Amino acid sequence: MTRLPVITGLGFVTSIGHDRNTVVQSLRKLRHGFEPYTFLNNPNLPVKVAGTVKGFSFPSPSWRDWSWPSHFAVDRELVRGLAPHGVYAVCAVQQALAEAGLKPADLAGGDTGLFCASAGSPYLLTHFVQDMYATRGQRGNPMGIISSIAGTLNFNLAAFYKISGAVCGFVSACASSSHALGYAMDEIRLGRQKRMLVVGAEDMTDESILSFASLRALSTNPDPDKASRPFDRRRDGFVGTGGAVALVVEEAGLARARGARIQAELVGWGQAGDGHSVAASHPEGAGLREAMQRTLADAGATAQDIDYINAHATSTPAGDRSEALALQAVFARAGATPRVSSTKALTGHGLSLAGAMEAAFCVLTLDDGFIPGCAHLEDVDPVCEGLNLPQASLDEAPSLVLNNSSGFGGSNVCHLLRKPQ
């Protein structure tokens, strides 16, 4: 596998910004995207903060009532088959294509593939099922399935952009878009595709986020400045968010031939299962440890080579502990001290969006020459002993960065990204 996958375009719709420059400034200045939020219009619920996606509105299940920032051009006919996170995705793809110097027509044909990740839209699915029951099956939205189930992103984007290469959706909970990016790398390394569009997206709705409260996974801290604090001794759960991120991944030779600016090289990836629990991370981080080791081996790198790690750390007590132990096993015990931070302290946890979003953040660190600090980290959990956790962002230009993701069932996925050679 001698073909090198590179990233030439990024697009963002996130709680910390809807364009590259805003996102970079938010990461540098540790400016979070959290706001007080009342779920289900019930002030008695203990969860009171969310990573909101500003400027977008989905007040009803009817697409006719939806709105988005005016500088995004979203085809009204396309919207009929989209969920809210599909609207986010279209806006992110537009940015990524523009940054890569591509037109929508350049995606048509068999040389370009599309890998997506989302959990579907519980918001729309709930509405459509309730409508079916209310009418005893005598009325239904013909686009109901298309817009609400987990494959909605690949259904809509592949058809709209006329993509006839590899098209697939990935569902591995919070590792989903990391799987999409890893397998996109392989499509290029194996010569099956010349270009891949990778998209992760999730609704920012009550239905997508509040369900995690029953797992006691969500923070009940009402202070937006304190609710998400990965690796802090007083963390009590994650803050939910939605949005979309798109990445244009190309074979390096193709990118150079058309004069595209290469922002980062994708030099390795790996995955491993915990084999432990349907929901909880392995208590010693066994699967993530193995995934990191496989990623280093895939890239021919050592622990000492890594400059920065974007941790999966969601701010849950058990999950952060598990990852800290895995990081110690792979890096601290080898005498390596890469900088470590979790940008979920700023964005919140984007669920299946998280891996692609944080891979894109890693690209920004390489391309813009900085390392995000550990926002809101005041009292470091003793389990993190030996980890290098900068509390402020650093004007240090990393050359090799690692991105970690973990999902339900013990799915662990890592990517290794390098500054262009």
Side-chain angles (χ1 to χ4, degrees), residues 248-269:
V248 176
V249 185
E250 301 187 76
E251 193 277 319
L254 171 64
R256 294 191 188 102
R258 66 182 193 83
R261 191 177 75 84
I262 296 174
Q263 301 183 36
E265 300 173 352
L266 290 160
V267 294
W269 83 288

PDB file of all heavy atoms in Angstrom, residues 248-269:
ATOM      1  N   VAL A 248     -12.329  16.151   2.836  1.00  0.00           N
ATOM      2  CA  VAL A 248     -11.982  15.658   1.508  1.00  0.00           C
ATOM      3  C   VAL A 248     -10.631  14.960   1.621  1.00  0.00           C
ATOM      4  O   VAL A 248      -9.626  15.576   1.986  1.00  0.00           O
ATOM      5  CB  VAL A 248     -11.901  16.798   0.476  1.00  0.00           C
ATOM      6  CG1 VAL A 248     -11.439  16.263  -0.876  1.00  0.00           C
ATOM      7  CG2 VAL A 248     -13.261  17.485   0.349  1.00  0.00           C
ATOM      8  N   VAL A 249     -10.640  13.659   1.347  1.00  0.00           N
ATOM      9  CA  VAL A 249      -9.432  12.829   1.420  1.00  0.00           C
ATOM     10  C   VAL A 249      -9.088  12.383   0.005  1.00  0.00           C
ATOM     11  O   VAL A 249      -9.944  11.843  -0.701  1.00  0.00           O
ATOM     12  CB  VAL A 249      -9.652  11.603   2.331  1.00  0.00           C
ATOM     13  CG1 VAL A 249      -8.363  10.812   2.495  1.00  0.00           C
ATOM     14  CG2 VAL A 249     -10.197  12.023   3.694  1.00  0.00           C
ATOM     15  N   GLU A 250      -7.842  12.623  -0.407  1.00  0.00           N
ATOM     16  CA  GLU A 250      -7.439  12.300  -1.773  1.00  0.00           C
ATOM     17  C   GLU A 250      -6.109  11.558  -1.785  1.00  0.00           C
ATOM     18  O   GLU A 250      -5.326  11.630  -0.829  1.00  0.00           O
ATOM     19  CB  GLU A 250      -7.291  13.581  -2.603  1.00  0.00           C
ATOM     20  CG  GLU A 250      -8.553  14.418  -2.686  1.00  0.00           C
ATOM     21  CD  GLU A 250      -8.403  15.593  -3.647  1.00  0.00           C
ATOM     22  OE1 GLU A 250      -8.450  15.355  -4.865  1.00  0.00           O
ATOM     23  OE2 GLU A 250      -8.231  16.724  -3.170  1.00  0.00           O
ATOM     24  N   GLU A 251      -5.859  10.868  -2.873  1.00  0.00           N
ATOM     25  CA  GLU A 251      -4.542  10.288  -3.091  1.00  0.00           C
ATOM     26  C   GLU A 251      -3.575  11.439  -3.357  1.00  0.00           C
ATOM     27  O   GLU A 251      -3.886  12.371  -4.096  1.00  0.00           O
ATOM     28  CB  GLU A 251      -4.587   9.315  -4.273  1.00  0.00           C
ATOM     29  CG  GLU A 251      -3.383   8.414  -4.407  1.00  0.00           C
ATOM     30  CD  GLU A 251      -2.239   9.099  -5.132  1.00  0.00           C
ATOM     31  OE1 GLU A 251      -2.523   9.806  -6.119  1.00  0.00           O
ATOM     32  OE2 GLU A 251      -1.081   8.912  -4.699  1.00  0.00           O
ATOM     33  N   ALA A 252      -2.405  11.399  -2.736  1.00  0.00           N
ATOM     34  CA  ALA A 252      -1.481  12.538  -2.780  1.00  0.00           C
ATOM     35  C   ALA A 252      -1.123  12.935  -4.200  1.00  0.00           C
ATOM     36  O   ALA A 252      -1.036  14.134  -4.519  1.00  0.00           O
ATOM     37  CB  ALA A 252      -0.224  12.209  -1.982  1.00  0.00           C
ATOM     38  N   GLY A 253      -0.909  11.963  -5.072  1.00  0.00           N
ATOM     39  CA  GLY A 253      -0.545  12.273  -6.451  1.00  0.00           C
ATOM     40  C   GLY A 253      -1.631  13.043  -7.172  1.00  0.00           C
ATOM     41  O   GLY A 253      -1.346  13.995  -7.918  1.00  0.00           O
ATOM     42  N   LEU A 254      -2.879  12.666  -6.938  1.00  0.00           N
ATOM     43  CA  LEU A 254      -4.004  13.384  -7.548  1.00  0.00           C
ATOM     44  C   LEU A 254      -4.058  14.815  -7.026  1.00  0.00           C
ATOM     45  O   LEU A 254      -4.234  15.767  -7.798  1.00  0.00           O
ATOM     46  CB  LEU A 254      -5.311  12.661  -7.231  1.00  0.00           C
ATOM     47  CG  LEU A 254      -6.595  13.387  -7.604  1.00  0.00           C
ATOM     48  CD1 LEU A 254      -6.701  13.580  -9.107  1.00  0.00           C
ATOM     49  CD2 LEU A 254      -7.816  12.649  -7.062  1.00  0.00           C
ATOM     50  N   ALA A 255      -3.909  14.971  -5.714  1.00  0.00           N
ATOM     51  CA  ALA A 255      -3.965  16.315  -5.122  1.00  0.00           C
ATOM     52  C   ALA A 255      -2.880  17.216  -5.695  1.00  0.00           C
ATOM     53  O   ALA A 255      -3.129  18.378  -6.041  1.00  0.00           O
ATOM     54  CB  ALA A 255      -3.838  16.210  -3.606  1.00  0.00           C
ATOM     55  N   ARG A 256      -1.671  16.689  -5.799  1.00  0.00           N
ATOM     56  CA  ARG A 256      -0.568  17.494  -6.329  1.00  0.00           C
ATOM     57  C   ARG A 256      -0.772  17.828  -7.801  1.00  0.00           C
ATOM     58  O   ARG A 256      -0.493  18.948  -8.242  1.00  0.00           O
ATOM     59  CB  ARG A 256       0.758  16.748  -6.140  1.00  0.00           C
ATOM     60  CG  ARG A 256       1.162  16.565  -4.679  1.00  0.00           C
ATOM     61  CD  ARG A 256       2.591  16.058  -4.555  1.00  0.00           C
ATOM     62  NE  ARG A 256       2.918  15.715  -3.184  1.00  0.00           N
ATOM     63  CZ  ARG A 256       2.962  14.488  -2.690  1.00  0.00           C
ATOM     64  NH1 ARG A 256       2.699  13.450  -3.477  1.00  0.00           N
ATOM     65  NH2 ARG A 256       3.247  14.273  -1.416  1.00  0.00           N
ATOM     66  N   ALA A 257      -1.267  16.858  -8.542  1.00  0.00           N
ATOM     67  CA  ALA A 257      -1.444  17.058  -9.983  1.00  0.00           C
ATOM     68  C   ALA A 257      -2.436  18.174 -10.286  1.00  0.00           C
ATOM     69  O   ALA A 257      -2.283  18.898 -11.279  1.00  0.00           O
ATOM     70  CB  ALA A 257      -1.901  15.758 -10.635  1.00  0.00           C
ATOM     71  N   ARG A 258      -3.433  18.329  -9.442  1.00  0.00           N
ATOM     72  CA  ARG A 258      -4.418  19.388  -9.700  1.00  0.00           C
ATOM     73  C   ARG A 258      -4.115  20.663  -8.907  1.00  0.00           C
ATOM     74  O   ARG A 258      -4.922  21.595  -8.903  1.00  0.00           O
ATOM     75  CB  ARG A 258      -5.831  18.886  -9.429  1.00  0.00           C
ATOM     76  CG  ARG A 258      -6.142  18.539  -7.999  1.00  0.00           C
ATOM     77  CD  ARG A 258      -7.564  18.008  -7.831  1.00  0.00           C
ATOM     78  NE  ARG A 258      -7.952  17.965  -6.427  1.00  0.00           N
ATOM     79  CZ  ARG A 258      -8.423  18.994  -5.738  1.00  0.00           C
ATOM     80  NH1 ARG A 258      -8.582  20.172  -6.332  1.00  0.00           N
ATOM     81  NH2 ARG A 258      -8.750  18.874  -4.469  1.00  0.00           N
ATOM     82  N   GLY A 259      -2.971  20.702  -8.234  1.00  0.00           N
ATOM     83  CA  GLY A 259      -2.538  21.909  -7.543  1.00  0.00           C
ATOM     84  C   GLY A 259      -3.255  22.181  -6.245  1.00  0.00           C
ATOM     85  O   GLY A 259      -3.269  23.325  -5.768  1.00  0.00           O
ATOM     86  N   ALA A 260      -3.840  21.145  -5.630  1.00  0.00           N
ATOM     87  CA  ALA A 260      -4.544  21.341  -4.357  1.00  0.00           C
ATOM     88  C   ALA A 260      -3.541  21.522  -3.226  1.00  0.00           C
ATOM     89  O   ALA A 260      -2.444  20.965  -3.256  1.00  0.00           O
ATOM     90  CB  ALA A 260      -5.441  20.134  -4.075  1.00  0.00           C
ATOM     91  N   ARG A 261      -3.933  22.278  -2.224  1.00  0.00           N
ATOM     92  CA  ARG A 261      -3.083  22.467  -1.048  1.00  0.00           C
ATOM     93  C   ARG A 261      -3.308  21.324  -0.068  1.00  0.00           C
ATOM     94  O   ARG A 261      -4.418  21.121   0.412  1.00  0.00           O
ATOM     95  CB  ARG A 261      -3.386  23.798  -0.362  1.00  0.00           C
ATOM     96  CG  ARG A 261      -2.349  24.180   0.701  1.00  0.00           C
ATOM     97  CD  ARG A 261      -2.646  25.542   1.298  1.00  0.00           C
ATOM     98  NE  ARG A 261      -3.764  25.509   2.219  1.00  0.00           N
ATOM     99  CZ  ARG A 261      -3.667  25.165   3.512  1.00  0.00           C
ATOM    100  NH1 ARG A 261      -2.496  24.810   4.016  1.00  0.00           N
ATOM    101  NH2 ARG A 261      -4.728  25.178   4.283  1.00  0.00           N
ATOM    102  N   ILE A 262      -2.259  20.588   0.217  1.00  0.00           N
ATOM    103  CA  ILE A 262      -2.353  19.464   1.148  1.00  0.00           C
ATOM    104  C   ILE A 262      -2.194  19.982   2.570  1.00  0.00           C
ATOM    105  O   ILE A 262      -1.185  20.601   2.915  1.00  0.00           O
ATOM    106  CB  ILE A 262      -1.281  18.399   0.824  1.00  0.00           C
ATOM    107  CG1 ILE A 262      -1.549  17.790  -0.566  1.00  0.00           C
ATOM    108  CG2 ILE A 262      -1.252  17.312   1.898  1.00  0.00           C
ATOM    109  CD1 ILE A 262      -0.469  16.843  -1.035  1.00  0.00           C
ATOM    110  N   GLN A 263      -3.199  19.721   3.396  1.00  0.00           N
ATOM    111  CA  GLN A 263      -3.184  20.219   4.769  1.00  0.00           C
ATOM    112  C   GLN A 263      -2.595  19.222   5.759  1.00  0.00           C
ATOM    113  O   GLN A 263      -2.030  19.613   6.785  1.00  0.00           O
ATOM    114  CB  GLN A 263      -4.604  20.574   5.207  1.00  0.00           C
ATOM    115  CG  GLN A 263      -5.265  21.621   4.329  1.00  0.00           C
ATOM    116  CD  GLN A 263      -6.642  21.986   4.832  1.00  0.00           C
ATOM    117  OE1 GLN A 263      -6.899  22.040   6.036  1.00  0.00           O
ATOM    118  NE2 GLN A 263      -7.555  22.244   3.913  1.00  0.00           N
ATOM    119  N   ALA A 264      -2.757  17.945   5.477  1.00  0.00           N
ATOM    120  CA  ALA A 264      -2.228  16.908   6.371  1.00  0.00           C
ATOM    121  C   ALA A 264      -2.178  15.590   5.619  1.00  0.00           C
ATOM    122  O   ALA A 264      -2.920  15.374   4.653  1.00  0.00           O
ATOM    123  CB  ALA A 264      -3.092  16.766   7.612  1.00  0.00           C
ATOM    124  N   GLU A 265      -1.281  14.722   6.072  1.00  0.00           N
ATOM    125  CA  GLU A 265      -1.182  13.367   5.545  1.00  0.00           C
ATOM    126  C   GLU A 265      -1.759  12.391   6.565  1.00  0.00           C
ATOM    127  O   GLU A 265      -1.544  12.533   7.773  1.00  0.00           O
ATOM    128  CB  GLU A 265       0.276  13.010   5.267  1.00  0.00           C
ATOM    129  CG  GLU A 265       0.949  13.922   4.261  1.00  0.00           C
ATOM    130  CD  GLU A 265       2.438  13.672   4.128  1.00  0.00           C
ATOM    131  OE1 GLU A 265       2.990  12.887   4.938  1.00  0.00           O
ATOM    132  OE2 GLU A 265       3.056  14.278   3.228  1.00  0.00           O
ATOM    133  N   LEU A 266      -2.491  11.407   6.087  1.00  0.00           N
ATOM    134  CA  LEU A 266      -3.021  10.350   6.942  1.00  0.00           C
ATOM    135  C   LEU A 266      -2.086   9.153   6.821  1.00  0.00           C
ATOM    136  O   LEU A 266      -2.076   8.465   5.805  1.00  0.00           O
ATOM    137  CB  LEU A 266      -4.439   9.983   6.500  1.00  0.00           C
ATOM    138  CG  LEU A 266      -5.501  11.053   6.791  1.00  0.00           C
ATOM    139  CD1 LEU A 266      -6.724  10.850   5.907  1.00  0.00           C
ATOM    140  CD2 LEU A 266      -5.899  11.037   8.254  1.00  0.00           C
ATOM    141  N   VAL A 267      -1.286   8.915   7.862  1.00  0.00           N
ATOM    142  CA  VAL A 267      -0.196   7.944   7.734  1.00  0.00           C
ATOM    143  C   VAL A 267      -0.452   6.627   8.465  1.00  0.00           C
ATOM    144  O   VAL A 267       0.346   5.693   8.349  1.00  0.00           O
ATOM    145  CB  VAL A 267       1.138   8.548   8.224  1.00  0.00           C
ATOM    146  CG1 VAL A 267       1.558   9.683   7.298  1.00  0.00           C
ATOM    147  CG2 VAL A 267       1.055   9.034   9.666  1.00  0.00           C
ATOM    148  N   GLY A 268      -1.551   6.532   9.210  1.00  0.00           N
ATOM    149  CA  GLY A 268      -1.831   5.271   9.868  1.00  0.00           C
ATOM    150  C   GLY A 268      -3.161   5.295  10.589  1.00  0.00           C
ATOM    151  O   GLY A 268      -3.674   6.356  10.956  1.00  0.00           O
ATOM    152  N   TRP A 269      -3.721   4.102  10.773  1.00  0.00           N
ATOM    153  CA  TRP A 269      -4.910   3.985  11.600  1.00  0.00           C
ATOM    154  C   TRP A 269      -4.986   2.571  12.146  1.00  0.00           C
ATOM    155  O   TRP A 269      -4.330   1.657  11.636  1.00  0.00           O
ATOM    156  CB  TRP A 269      -6.185   4.382  10.854  1.00  0.00           C
ATOM    157  CG  TRP A 269      -6.832   3.332   9.976  1.00  0.00           C
ATOM    158  CD1 TRP A 269      -6.376   2.865   8.781  1.00  0.00           C
ATOM    159  CD2 TRP A 269      -8.072   2.649  10.229  1.00  0.00           C
ATOM    160  NE1 TRP A 269      -7.253   1.935   8.246  1.00  0.00           N
ATOM    161  CE2 TRP A 269      -8.301   1.782   9.121  1.00  0.00           C
ATOM    162  CE3 TRP A 269      -9.008   2.675  11.261  1.00  0.00           C
ATOM    163  CZ2 TRP A 269      -9.428   0.957   9.031  1.00  0.00           C
ATOM    164  CZ3 TRP A 269     -10.130   1.858  11.169  1.00  0.00           C
ATOM    165  CH2 TRP A 269     -10.332   1.019  10.065  1.00  0.00           C
TER     166      TRP A 269
END
